Amino acid sequence: YVAYIVFAIIVLLVLFFVIKGLFSGDIKRTLIAVGAFIVVIGIAYVLTGGTERQLSDGTMLSASADHWVGAGLVTFYILAGIAILLMVVSGIRKLIK
């Protein structure tokens, strides 16, 4: 129970500071970033499909849950690819200067 209490306190503190940062910073840039993230999730959701699967413990994973798991993985791959691309571009820019 102590771990759950500590986890809840940490989550509340993170939410507080995120909301505080949203209102003290540039809200337009924040909304653009959130919108871009939602677009990436939407693209990943469209690219994936879901089928019912039997898990190793014998339970069934619904088609909807499988679809969201696939979308989460594709979202991760897209964001990781963007991050790697931006690191490469940044390195090239430093070499040019």
Side-chain angles (χ1 to χ4, degrees), residues 1-96:
Y1 290 111
V2 173
Y4 287 125
I5 292 170
V6 170
F7 180 70
I9 290 170
I10 290 171
V11 168
L12 290 174
L13 286 172
V14 166
L15 287 174
F16 171 75
F17 285 110
V18 165
I19 291 171
K20 180 183 170 190
L22 283 175
F23 290 115
S24 66
D26 186 9
I27 193 78
K28 182 179 175 184
R29 292 181 77 184
T30 302
L31 291 176
I32 289 172
V34 169
F37 185 67
I38 290 171
V39 167
V40 169
I41 292 173
I43 290 169
Y45 188 80
V46 169
L47 291 176
T48 59
T51 57
E52 241 182 56
R53 298 183 188 272
Q54 185 169 0
L55 302 176
S56 60
D57 63 355
T59 60
M60 292 297 291
L61 181 66
S62 68
S64 175
D66 183 56
H67 196 167
W68 279 111
V69 168
L73 288 170
V74 171
T75 299
F76 170 76
Y77 298 146
I78 291 171
L79 294 176
I82 291 170
I84 291 168
L85 180 67
L86 289 175
M87 286 188 293
V88 168
V89 168
S90 174
I92 291 172
R93 282 187 184 170
K94 285 183 181 180
L95 286 175
I96 292 173

